[in-house]
Amino acid sequence: MTPERKDIRVAVIGGGVVGLTAALECRRAGLDVVLIEPDEPGGRQAASYGNGTWINPGAVMPLSVPGLWRDVPGYLLDRGSPFTIRWRHLPALAPWLFRFVRAGDTWDKVEACARARHLLNRGAVEAHAAYAAEAGVPHLLNRDDVVFVYGRRGDYEGEARGWAIRRALGIPFSEIGEEELRALEPALGPDYRFAIRMDGAGNLRDPGAYCAALAALLERRGAERVRARADGFLLDGGRLKVVSTSRGPVACERALLCAGAHSGPLARQAGDAVPLISERGYHVVIPAPRFEVNLSAIPLDGKMAVAMTPAGLRLAGQVELASLAAAPDWRRADILIDHAERMFPALGRVDRAKVDRWMGHRPSTPDGLPCIGPSSASPDILYGFGHAHVGMIEAPATARILAALAGGERPEVDPAPFSARRFR
């Protein structure tokens, strides 16, 4: 660790994986750190808790691609779709949806987004392996490849443009035929006969426990913890003096806004009206299946992450657009269970009373990129939010950028493509 720099006190707002890794990198740089988080890091309230467990550097493709607009009416009507929009929230979501469709209306835009995401994804597995080792939980990270499972090769060829973009970026992947797929995953149902292996990926077996371990490591490294909710900033001549919280003021020279889907109001106070919504996701955990699942997989038909965890078989996915305050629609979780029964016939009929169901809030911008870098109101307020599905993957690179900026250093990745000013 570099020498202490007590002249710079950094308030990190948010105890999810982005905030925790950013705080750790600030401590590594010798900066004084206070973490502002009302809940326990790694708890069920956090998007990090419900993650699909993957660390897949190849997750560079945005959701919005050319032709998506034709599918939106179907998403509104089909309750079984992996992407759904609640009708009553549509008027409030319409401006975001318009930007979302426009963000992917040409392949040039999609490729530019993929290149930017690739900058943040590179080295993610190695970075998390280092964090896990430092936190004393190396067993939580497996070096398992992620496998995209298709009914047949033609289904994969229907997504050829996305795979070509990955190949052009140098992201390694390889084909798996039916015979090899059966050998790798004997429990997989007969409807799946082709797959693509994302080489060099990883799997965090218990994302909640991992985040809790990072928080404990942060405490051992001398960071302060304020159990409160941040609600504003006090500036003097454009320089940050205080982060106000529900438990009083926190004096600091820098603030890192890493509060996930709850970052919007604070960003507005810092001069940026970011179009940030909750892209609500669900997961289910089926305890003690009668067989072992060997692969971390995503089936094309369900578009969900499937992986074994210490608690059981986790299926995480679904995109539900609604307000932050809306109650969960647990039918979305039942859809995941239906897919599990089709994907793994040996499950039989799942006892749904024993299934653990979870819903959380992915912080999503319409263009598929997070907000990283200085706010408009002050260079002392730095953003690190809006990572949507890939917060676990992009957290280490985001953390290093934020720590460098907080310490007045030049970051390894230019944050310009991630500036919140792009939404003006």
Side-chain angles (χ1 to χ4, degrees), residues 54 56-63 65 107 110-111 114-115 117-118 121 146 148 150 156 158-174 196-199 298 300 303 390:
W54 295 358
N56 174 20
V60 297
M61 293 296 293
L63 289 180
V65 295
W107 283 108
V110 172
E111 290 175 15
R115 287 193 298 271
R117 288 170 65 138
H118 184 52
N121 290 11
V146 170
F148 287 70
Y150 296 91
Y156 154 70
E159 297 185 334
R161 192 68 181 260
W163 290 106
I165 289 172
R166 293 183 178 94
R167 185 179 291 108
L169 290 171
I171 296 169
F173 60 89
S174 52
I196 293 291
R197 178 192 292 113
M198 300 297 301
D199 304 314
I298 179 168
L300 174 67
K303 295 190 181 299
V390 289

Side-chain angles (χ1 to χ4, degrees), residues 158-204:
E159 297 185 334
R161 192 68 181 260
W163 290 106
I165 289 172
R166 293 183 178 94
R167 185 179 291 108
L169 290 171
I171 296 169
F173 60 89
S174 52
E175 297 184 7
I176 300 175
E178 183 172 5
E179 185 176 345
E180 183 182 359
L181 183 60
R182 294 275 164 260
L184 288 172
E185 189 50 83
L188 196 64
D191 292 340
Y192 301 98
R193 299 186 295 277
F194 183 81
I196 293 291
R197 178 192 292 113
M198 300 297 301
D199 304 314
N203 172 270
L204 275 170

Side-chain angles (χ1 to χ4, degrees), residues 339-423:
H339 275 290
E341 291 173 344
R342 288 196 297 271
M343 192 172 183
F344 301 108
L347 275 175
R349 281 296 290 173
V350 172
D351 184 349
R352 302 193 177 210
K354 296 180 179 179
V355 172
D356 179 42
R357 294 167 170 83
W358 174 91
M359 188 278 288
H361 301 282
R362 306 183 190 99
S364 295
T365 64
D367 64 358
L369 297 177
C371 292
I372 307 173
S375 72
S376 293
S378 171
D380 301 332
I381 302 172
L382 301 167
Y383 298 148
F385 64 83
H387 297 80
H389 296 250
V390 289
M392 196 68 74
I393 303 164
E394 295 179 350
T398 300
R400 293 191 296 270
I401 294 171
L402 293 176
L405 292 172
E409 305 293 335
R410 183 175 181 177
E412 63 186 47
V413 172
D414 182 3
F418 312 105
S419 171
R421 294 180 179 89
R422 71 187 188 271
F423 295 117

